[in-house]
Coordinates of all heavy atoms in Angstrom, one line a residue:
E11 N -7.0 90.3 1.5 CA -7.8 90.2 0.4 C -8.8 89.2 0.5 O -10.0 89.3 0.1 CB -7.0 90.1 -0.9 CG -6.3 91.6 -1.2 CD -5.7 91.4 -2.6 OE1 -6.3 90.8 -3.5 OE2 -4.6 92.1 -2.7
A12 N -8.5 88.1 1.1 CA -9.3 86.9 1.1 C -10.5 87.2 2.1 O -11.7 86.9 1.7 CB -8.6 85.7 1.7
R13 N -10.2 88.0 3.3 CA -11.3 88.3 4.1 C -12.3 89.2 3.4 O -13.4 89.2 3.7 CB -10.7 89.0 5.4 CG -11.7 89.3 6.4 CD -11.0 89.7 7.6 NE -9.9 88.9 8.0 CZ -9.7 88.4 9.2 NH1 -10.5 88.7 10.1 NH2 -8.6 87.6 9.5
G14 N -11.7 90.2 2.7 CA -12.6 91.2 1.9 C -13.5 90.4 0.9 O -14.8 90.8 0.8
L15 N -12.9 89.5 0.2 CA -13.8 88.7 -0.8 C -14.8 88.0 0.0 O -15.9 87.9 -0.5 CB -12.9 87.8 -1.6 CG -13.5 86.9 -2.5 CD1 -14.2 87.7 -3.6 CD2 -12.5 85.9 -3.2
Y16 N -14.5 87.4 1.1 CA -15.5 86.6 1.9 C -16.6 87.5 2.2 O -17.8 87.1 2.1 CB -14.7 86.0 3.1 CG -15.7 85.2 3.9 CD1 -15.9 83.8 3.6 CD2 -16.3 85.7 5.1 CE1 -16.8 83.0 4.4 CE2 -17.2 84.9 5.8 CZ -17.4 83.5 5.4 OH -18.3 82.9 6.2
K17 N -16.3 88.7 2.8 CA -17.3 89.6 3.1 C -18.3 90.0 1.9 O -19.4 90.3 2.0 CB -16.7 90.9 3.8 CG -16.3 90.6 5.2 CD -15.7 91.9 5.9 CE -15.3 91.5 7.2 NZ -15.5 92.7 8.2
L18 N -17.7 90.2 0.7 CA -18.4 90.5 -0.4 C -19.4 89.3 -0.8 O -20.4 89.5 -1.2 CB -17.5 90.8 -1.5 CG -16.7 92.1 -1.4 CD1 -15.8 92.3 -2.6 CD2 -17.7 93.3 -1.3
L19 N -18.8 88.1 -0.6 CA -19.7 86.9 -1.0 C -20.8 86.7 0.2 O -21.8 86.1 -0.3 CB -18.8 85.8 -1.1 CG -17.8 85.7 -2.2 CD1 -17.0 84.5 -2.3 CD2 -18.7 85.9 -3.7
D20 N -20.5 87.1 1.3 CA -21.5 86.9 2.4 C -22.5 88.1 2.5 O -22.5 88.8 3.4 CB -20.8 86.7 3.8 CG -21.7 86.4 4.9 OD1 -22.7 85.9 4.7 OD2 -21.2 86.6 6.1
V21 N -23.4 88.1 1.4 CA -24.3 89.2 1.3 C -25.4 89.3 2.4 O -25.7 90.4 2.8 CB -25.0 89.2 -0.1 CG1 -24.0 89.5 -1.2 CG2 -25.7 87.9 -0.2
D22 N -25.7 88.2 3.1 CA -26.7 88.3 4.1 C -26.0 88.4 5.5 O -26.6 88.5 6.6 CB -27.6 87.1 4.2 CG -26.9 85.7 4.4 OD1 -25.7 85.7 4.6 OD2 -27.5 84.7 4.4
E23 N -24.7 88.5 5.5 CA -23.9 88.8 6.7 C -24.1 87.7 7.8 O -24.3 88.2 9.0 CB -24.0 90.1 7.3 CG -23.6 91.2 6.3 CD -23.8 92.6 6.7 OE1 -24.4 92.9 7.7 OE2 -23.3 93.5 5.9
S24 N -24.2 86.4 7.4 CA -24.6 85.3 8.3 C -23.2 84.8 8.9 O -23.2 83.8 9.7 CB -25.4 84.3 7.7 OG -24.8 83.8 6.6
D25 N -22.0 85.2 8.4 CA -20.8 84.6 8.5 C -20.7 83.2 8.0 O -19.9 82.4 8.5 CB -20.4 84.6 10.1 CG -20.1 86.0 10.6 OD1 -19.6 86.8 9.9 OD2 -20.4 86.3 11.8
E26 N -21.5 82.9 7.1 CA -21.4 81.7 6.3 C -21.7 81.9 4.9 O -22.4 82.9 4.5 CB -22.6 80.8 6.8 CG -22.4 80.3 8.2 CD -23.5 79.3 8.6 OE1 -24.5 79.2 7.9 OE2 -23.5 78.8 9.7
V27 N -21.0 81.2 4.0 CA -21.2 81.3 2.6 C -21.5 80.1 2.0 O -20.6 79.2 1.6 CB -20.0 82.0 1.8 CG1 -20.2 82.0 0.3 CG2 -19.5 83.2 2.4
P28 N -22.9 79.7 1.9 CA -23.3 78.4 1.4 C -23.0 78.4 -0.1 O -22.8 79.5 -0.8 CB -24.8 78.2 1.7 CG -25.2 79.6 2.2 CD -24.0 80.4 2.5
I29 N -23.0 77.3 -0.7 CA -22.7 77.1 -2.2 C -23.5 78.0 -3.0 O -22.9 78.6 -4.0 CB -22.7 75.6 -2.6 CG1 -22.1 75.5 -4.0 CG2 -24.1 75.1 -2.5 CD1 -20.7 75.7 -4.0
Q30 N -24.8 78.1 -2.8 CA -25.6 79.0 -3.7 C -25.1 80.5 -3.5 O -25.1 81.1 -4.6 CB -27.1 78.9 -3.3 CG -28.0 79.7 -4.2 CD -28.1 79.3 -5.6 OE1 -27.8 78.1 -5.8 NE2 -28.2 80.2 -6.5
E31 N -24.9 81.0 -2.4 CA -24.4 82.3 -2.1 C -23.1 82.5 -2.8 O -22.8 83.6 -3.4 CB -24.4 82.6 -0.6 CG -24.4 84.0 -0.2 CD -24.6 84.2 1.3 OE1 -24.3 83.3 2.0 OE2 -25.0 85.2 1.6
F32 N -22.2 81.5 -2.8 CA -21.0 81.5 -3.3 C -20.9 81.7 -4.8 O -20.4 82.5 -5.4 CB -20.1 80.3 -3.0 CG -18.6 80.3 -3.4 CD1 -17.7 81.0 -3.0 CD2 -18.5 79.5 -4.7 CE1 -16.4 81.0 -3.7 CE2 -17.3 79.6 -5.2 CZ -16.2 80.3 -4.8
V33 N -21.8 80.8 -5.5 CA -21.9 80.9 -6.9 C -22.6 82.2 -7.4 O -22.1 82.8 -8.3 CB -22.7 79.6 -7.4 CG1 -23.0 79.8 -8.8 CG2 -21.9 78.4 -7.1
T34 N -23.6 82.7 -6.7 CA -24.2 83.9 -7.0 C -23.2 85.0 -6.9 O -23.2 85.8 -7.7 CB -25.5 84.2 -6.1 OG1 -26.4 83.0 -6.3 CG2 -26.2 85.4 -6.6
G35 N -22.5 85.1 -5.8 CA -21.5 86.0 -5.5 C -20.5 86.0 -6.6 O -20.0 87.2 -7.1
C36 N -19.9 84.9 -7.1 CA -19.0 84.9 -8.0 C -19.4 85.4 -9.4 O -18.7 86.1 -10.1 CB -18.4 83.5 -8.2 SG -17.4 82.9 -6.8
F37 N -20.7 85.1 -9.8 CA -21.2 85.6 -11.0 C -21.4 87.1 -10.9 O -21.2 87.8 -11.8 CB -22.6 85.0 -11.2 CG -22.5 83.7 -12.0 CD1 -22.9 82.6 -11.4 CD2 -21.9 83.6 -13.2 CE1 -22.9 81.3 -12.1 CE2 -21.8 82.4 -13.9 CZ -22.2 81.3 -13.3
R38 N -21.8 87.6 -9.7 CA -21.9 89.1 -9.5 C -20.5 89.8 -9.6 O -20.5 90.9 -10.2 CB -22.5 89.2 -8.1 CG -23.0 90.7 -7.8 CD -23.8 90.8 -6.6 NE -23.4 89.9 -5.4 CZ -22.5 90.3 -4.5 NH1 -21.9 91.4 -4.5 NH2 -22.3 89.3 -3.6
L39 N -19.5 89.1 -9.1 CA -18.1 89.7 -9.3 C -17.5 89.5 -10.6 O -16.3 90.2 -10.9 CB -17.4 89.1 -8.1 CG -17.7 89.4 -6.7 CD1 -16.8 88.7 -5.7 CD2 -17.8 90.9 -6.4
K40 N -18.1 88.7 -11.5 CA -17.5 88.4 -12.7 C -17.4 89.6 -13.5 O -18.2 90.6 -13.5 CB -18.4 87.4 -13.5 CG -17.8 86.9 -14.8 CD -18.8 85.9 -15.5 CE -18.2 85.6 -16.8 NZ -19.1 84.6 -17.4
G41 N -16.4 89.8 -14.2 CA -16.2 91.0 -15.2 C -15.0 91.9 -14.7 O -14.9 93.1 -15.1
G42 N -14.2 91.3 -14.0 CA -13.0 92.0 -13.7 C -13.2 93.1 -12.5 O -14.0 92.9 -11.7
A43 N -12.3 94.0 -12.5 CA -12.3 94.9 -11.4 C -13.5 95.8 -11.2 O -13.9 96.1 -10.1 CB -11.1 95.9 -11.6
K44 N -14.2 96.0 -12.3 CA -15.3 96.8 -12.4 C -16.5 96.2 -11.4 O -17.1 96.8 -10.5 CB -16.0 96.9 -13.8 CG -16.8 98.2 -14.0 CD -17.2 98.3 -15.5 CE -17.3 99.7 -15.9 NZ -17.7 99.7 -17.3
G45 N -16.7 94.9 -11.7 CA -17.8 94.0 -10.7 C -17.3 94.1 -9.2 O -18.1 94.2 -8.4
L46 N -16.0 93.9 -9.1 CA -15.5 93.9 -7.7 C -15.6 95.2 -7.0 O -16.0 95.3 -5.9 CB -14.0 93.4 -7.8 CG -13.3 93.1 -6.4 CD1 -14.1 92.0 -5.6 CD2 -12.0 92.7 -6.5
D47 N -15.2 96.3 -7.7 CA -15.4 97.6 -7.3 C -16.8 97.9 -6.9 O -17.1 98.5 -5.8 CB -14.8 98.7 -8.2 CG -13.3 98.5 -8.4 OD1 -12.7 97.9 -7.5 OD2 -12.8 99.1 -9.4
L48 N -17.7 97.6 -7.8 CA -19.2 97.9 -7.5 C -19.6 97.1 -6.3 O -20.3 97.6 -5.5 CB -20.0 97.4 -8.8 CG -21.5 97.8 -8.7 CD1 -21.7 99.2 -8.5 CD2 -22.2 97.2 -10.0
A49 N -19.2 95.9 -6.2 CA -19.6 95.0 -5.0 C -19.0 95.6 -3.7 O -19.7 95.6 -2.7 CB -19.1 93.6 -5.1
S50 N -17.8 96.1 -3.9 CA -17.1 96.7 -2.5 C -18.0 97.9 -2.2 O -18.1 98.2 -1.0 CB -15.7 97.1 -3.0 OG -15.0 95.9 -3.1
L51 N -18.3 98.8 -3.3 CA -19.0 100.0 -2.9 C -20.4 99.7 -2.3 O -20.8 100.4 -1.4 CB -19.2 100.9 -4.1 CG -17.9 101.6 -4.7 CD1 -18.2 102.2 -6.1 CD2 -17.6 102.7 -3.7
M52 N -21.0 98.7 -2.9 CA -22.4 98.3 -2.3 C -22.2 97.8 -0.8 O -23.1 98.2 -0.1 CB -23.1 97.3 -3.2 CG -23.5 97.8 -4.5 SD -24.0 96.5 -5.7 CE -25.2 95.7 -4.8
H53 N -21.2 97.1 -0.6 CA -21.0 96.6 0.7 C -20.8 97.8 1.7 O -21.4 97.9 2.9 CB -19.8 95.6 0.8 CG -19.5 95.1 2.1 ND1 -20.2 94.2 2.7 CD2 -18.5 95.5 3.0 CE1 -19.7 94.0 4.0 NE2 -18.6 94.6 4.1
E54 N -19.9 98.7 1.3 CA -19.6 99.8 2.3 C -20.8 100.7 2.4 O -21.1 101.3 3.4 CB -18.5 100.7 1.7 CG -17.1 99.9 1.7 CD -16.7 99.6 3.2 OE1 -16.9 100.6 4.1 OE2 -16.3 98.6 3.5
N55 N -21.6 100.8 1.3 CA -22.8 101.6 1.4 C -23.8 101.1 2.3 O -24.5 101.8 3.2 CB -23.4 101.7 0.1 CG -24.6 102.7 0.1 OD1 -24.7 103.7 0.6 ND2 -25.7 102.4 -0.8
K56 N -24.0 99.7 2.4 CA -24.9 99.1 3.3 C -24.3 99.3 4.8 O -25.2 99.6 5.7 CB -24.9 97.5 3.1 CG -25.9 97.2 2.0 CD -25.9 95.8 1.5 CE -26.1 94.9 2.7 NZ -26.1 93.4 2.3
K57 N -23.1 99.2 5.0 CA -22.5 99.3 6.3 C -22.7 100.8 6.8 O -23.1 100.9 8.0 CB -21.0 99.1 6.2 CG -20.4 98.7 7.4 CD -18.9 98.0 7.3 CE -18.0 98.9 7.0 NZ -16.6 98.3 7.0
M58 N -22.5 101.8 5.9 CA -22.7 103.2 6.3 C -24.2 103.5 6.6 O -24.6 104.2 7.5 CB -22.3 104.1 5.2 CG -20.7 104.2 5.1 SD -19.9 104.8 6.7 CE -20.6 106.4 6.8
M59 N -25.1 102.9 5.8 CA -26.5 103.0 6.1 C -26.9 102.4 7.5 O -27.8 103.2 8.1 CB -27.4 102.3 5.0 CG -28.7 102.5 5.0 SD -29.1 104.3 4.9 CE -30.2 104.5 3.5
R60 N -26.3 101.3 7.9 CA -26.6 100.8 9.2 C -26.2 101.8 10.3 O -26.8 102.0 11.3 CB -26.0 99.5 9.4 CG -26.8 98.3 8.9 CD -26.3 97.0 9.3 NE -24.9 96.7 9.1 CZ -24.3 96.3 7.9 NH1 -25.1 95.9 6.9 NH2 -23.1 96.1 7.8
V61 N -24.9 102.3 10.1 CA -24.4 103.3 11.0 C -25.3 104.5 11.2 O -25.6 105.1 12.2 CB -23.0 103.6 10.8 CG1 -22.4 104.9 11.5 CG2 -22.0 102.5 10.9
L62 N -25.7 105.0 10.0 CA -26.5 106.2 9.9 C -28.0 105.9 10.6 O -28.4 106.8 11.3 CB -26.7 106.7 8.5 CG -27.6 108.0 8.2 CD1 -27.1 109.2 9.0 CD2 -27.7 108.2 6.7
M63 N -28.5 104.8 10.3 CA -29.8 104.5 11.0 C -29.7 104.4 12.4 O -30.6 104.9 13.2 CB -30.3 103.2 10.4 CG -30.7 103.2 9.0 SD -31.9 104.5 8.5 CE -33.4 103.8 9.2
K64 N -28.6 103.9 13.0 CA -28.3 103.7 14.5 C -28.3 105.2 15.0 O -28.7 105.4 16.1 CB -27.0 103.0 14.8 CG -27.3 101.5 14.7 CD -26.0 100.8 15.1 CE -26.1 99.3 15.0 NZ -24.9 98.6 15.3
F65 N -27.4 106.0 14.3 CA -27.3 107.4 14.8 C -28.7 108.2 14.8 O -29.0 108.9 15.7 CB -26.4 108.1 13.9 CG -26.2 109.6 14.2 CD1 -25.6 110.0 15.4 CD2 -26.8 110.6 13.4 CE1 -25.5 111.4 15.7 CE2 -26.7 111.9 13.7 CZ -26.0 112.3 14.8
M66 N -29.4 108.0 13.7 CA -30.8 108.6 13.7 C -31.7 108.2 14.9 O -32.3 109.1 15.4 CB -31.3 108.4 12.4 CG -30.7 109.2 11.1 SD -31.3 108.8 9.5 CE -33.0 109.0 9.7
S67 N -31.6 106.9 15.2 CA -32.4 106.4 16.1 C -31.9 106.9 17.5 O -32.8 107.3 18.4 CB -32.3 104.9 16.2 OG -33.0 104.3 17.2
Y68 N -30.7 106.9 17.7 CA -30.2 107.4 19.0 C -30.4 109.0 19.2 O -30.8 109.4 20.2 CB -28.6 107.3 19.0 CG -27.8 108.0 20.1 CD1 -28.0 107.4 21.3 CD2 -27.1 109.2 19.9 CE1 -27.2 108.2 22.4 CE2 -26.6 109.9 21.0 CZ -26.6 109.4 22.2 OH -26.1 110.0 23.2
S69 N -30.4 109.7 18.0 CA -30.7 111.1 18.1 C -32.1 111.4 18.5 O -32.5 112.4 19.3 CB -30.3 111.8 16.7 OG -29.0 111.7 16.4
Q70 N -33.0 110.6 17.8 CA -34.5 110.8 18.0 C -34.8 110.4 19.5 O -35.5 111.2 20.2 CB -35.2 109.8 17.2 CG -36.7 109.9 17.5 CD -37.2 111.2 16.9 OE1 -36.8 111.7 16.0 NE2 -38.4 111.6 17.6
E71 N -34.2 109.4 20.2 CA -34.3 109.0 21.4 C -33.8 110.2 22.4 O -34.6 110.5 23.4 CB -33.5 107.8 21.9 CG -34.0 106.5 21.3 CD -33.2 105.4 21.5 OE1 -32.2 105.4 22.1 OE2 -33.6 104.2 20.9
Q72 N -32.7 110.8 22.1 CA -32.1 111.9 22.9 C -33.0 113.1 22.8 O -33.2 113.8 23.9 CB -30.6 112.2 22.4 CG -29.7 111.1 22.7 CD -29.6 110.7 24.2 OE1 -29.5 111.6 25.0 NE2 -29.8 109.4 24.3
F73 N -33.6 113.4 21.6 CA -34.4 114.7 21.5 C -35.6 114.4 22.2 O -36.1 115.3 23.0 CB -34.7 114.8 20.0 CG -33.6 115.7 19.4 CD1 -33.1 115.1 18.2 CD2 -33.2 116.9 19.8 CE1 -32.0 115.8 17.5 CE2 -32.2 117.6 19.1 CZ -31.6 117.0 18.0
E74 N -36.2 113.2 22.2 CA -37.4 112.9 23.0 C -37.2 113.0 24.5 O -38.0 113.6 25.3 CB -37.9 111.5 22.5 CG -38.6 111.4 21.3 CD -39.1 110.1 20.9 OE1 -38.9 109.1 21.6 OE2 -39.5 110.0 19.6
A75 N -36.1 112.5 25.0 CA -35.8 112.7 26.3 C -35.6 114.1 26.9 O -36.0 114.5 27.9 CB -34.4 111.8 26.7
L76 N -34.9 114.9 25.9 CA -34.8 116.3 26.1 C -36.1 117.0 26.2 O -36.3 117.8 27.1 CB -33.9 116.9 25.1 CG -33.4 118.4 25.3 CD1 -32.7 118.5 26.5 CD2 -32.5 118.8 24.2
T77 N -36.9 116.8 25.3 CA -38.3 117.4 25.4 C -39.1 117.0 26.6 O -39.8 117.9 27.2 CB -39.1 117.2 24.0 OG1 -39.3 115.8 24.0 CG2 -38.3 117.8 22.8
T78 N -38.9 115.8 27.0 CA -39.6 115.4 28.2 C -39.1 116.1 29.4 O -39.9 116.6 30.2 CB -39.5 113.9 28.4 OG1 -40.1 113.2 27.2 CG2 -40.1 113.4 29.7
K79 N -37.8 116.1 29.5 CA -37.2 116.9 30.7 C -37.4 118.4 30.8 O -37.5 118.8 31.8 CB -35.6 116.7 30.7 CG -35.2 115.3 31.1 CD -33.7 115.2 31.2 CE -33.4 113.7 31.6 NZ -31.9 113.5 31.8
L80 N -37.6 118.9 29.6 CA -37.9 120.4 29.5 C -39.4 120.6 29.6 O -39.8 121.8 29.6 CB -37.3 120.9 28.2 CG -35.7 121.0 28.2 CD1 -35.4 121.5 26.7 CD2 -35.2 121.8 29.2
G81 N -40.1 119.6 29.5 CA -41.6 119.8 29.5 C -42.2 120.3 28.3 O -43.3 121.0 28.3
I82 N -41.6 120.1 27.1 CA -42.2 120.7 25.8 C -42.9 119.6 25.2 O -42.6 118.4 25.2 CB -40.8 120.9 25.0 CG1 -39.9 122.0 25.5 CG2 -41.3 121.5 23.6 CD1 -38.6 122.2 24.8
E83 N -44.1 120.2 24.8 CA -45.0 119.2 24.2 C -44.4 118.9 22.7 O -44.0 119.8 22.0 CB -46.4 119.9 23.9 CG -47.5 118.8 23.5 CD -48.8 119.5 23.5 OE1 -49.1 120.3 24.4 OE2 -49.6 119.2 22.6
R84 N -44.5 117.6 22.6 CA -43.9 117.0 21.2 C -44.9 117.4 20.1 O -46.1 117.1 20.2 CB -43.7 115.6 21.3 CG -43.0 115.1 20.2 CD -42.7 113.6 20.3 NE -42.4 113.0 19.1 CZ -42.9 111.8 18.9 NH1 -43.5 111.1 19.7 NH2 -42.5 111.3 17.6
V85 N -44.4 117.8 18.9 CA -45.2 118.2 17.8 C -45.0 117.0 16.9 O -44.0 116.5 16.5 CB -44.8 119.5 17.1 CG1 -45.5 119.5 15.7 CG2 -44.9 120.7 18.0
K86 N -46.2 116.4 16.5 CA -46.2 115.2 15.5 C -46.0 115.6 14.3 O -46.6 116.6 13.7 CB -47.4 114.5 15.8 CG -47.7 113.8 17.1 CD -48.7 112.8 17.2 CE -48.8 112.2 18.5 NZ -49.1 110.8 18.6
T87 N -45.1 114.9 13.5 CA -44.9 115.2 12.1 C -45.0 113.9 11.5 O -44.8 112.8 12.0 CB -43.5 115.8 12.0 OG1 -42.4 114.8 12.4 CG2 -43.3 117.1 12.6
S88 N -45.2 113.9 10.2 CA -45.4 112.7 9.3 C -43.9 112.4 8.8 O -43.1 113.3 8.5 CB -46.4 112.9 8.2 OG -46.0 114.1 7.4
H89 N -43.7 111.2 8.6 CA -42.3 110.8 8.1 C -42.5 110.6 6.5 O -43.4 110.1 6.1 CB -41.9 109.4 8.6 CG -41.7 109.6 10.1 ND1 -40.4 110.0 10.6 CD2 -42.4 109.3 11.2 CE1 -40.4 109.9 11.9 NE2 -41.5 109.6 12.3
V90 N -41.6 111.3 5.8 CA -41.7 111.3 4.4 C -40.7 110.1 3.9 O -39.8 109.8 4.4 CB -41.2 112.7 3.9 CG1 -41.2 112.6 2.3 CG2 -42.2 113.7 4.5

């Protein structure tokens, strides 16, 4: 549990928790299980978003490589 609390307090993921980050984190977690649950969900959401972004980037690279090998002209689309 201590490791999980440390990860919740280390919001910038620098593997350090300076006093300002510690105090801010403690205030954010104040309020019992509700605050802690919300912080846990936010942490997991950020982690999943990083994984998803890596996957999307990898997929894009693979599709580009495939279209190049197949000699297909790439159609430009705007990102929404």
Side-chain angles (χ1 to χ4, degrees):
E11 286 186 35
R13 188 176 308 234
L15 178 60
Y16 182 84
K17 286 185 177 210
L18 291 176
L19 293 175
D20 183 22
V21 292
D22 63 358
E23 298 179 351
S24 63
D25 290 330
E26 295 178 351
V27 181
I29 188 69
Q30 182 63 33
E31 200 170 23
F32 177 78
V33 171
T34 303
C36 287
F37 277 118
R38 195 169 29 90
L39 298 176
K40 186 178 176 185
K44 209 176 210 181
L46 186 59
D47 290 341
L48 181 58
S50 294
L51 285 172
M52 289 171 56
H53 177 74
E54 288 300 316
N55 189 36
K56 280 173 58 176
K57 206 162 78 172
M58 288 302 297
M59 188 58 126
R60 278 193 304 275
V61 170
L62 180 60
M63 294 302 289
K64 282 182 183 178
F65 174 74
M66 289 171 53
S67 178
Y68 171 78
S69 297
Q70 181 68 33
E71 290 171 6
Q72 295 302 306
F73 281 123
E74 288 174 4
L76 184 59
T77 57
T78 299
K79 284 184 179 182
L80 293 175
I82 300 171
E83 189 173 323
R84 188 173 161 221
V85 176
K86 294 196 180 216
T87 60
S88 61
H89 294 276
V90 178

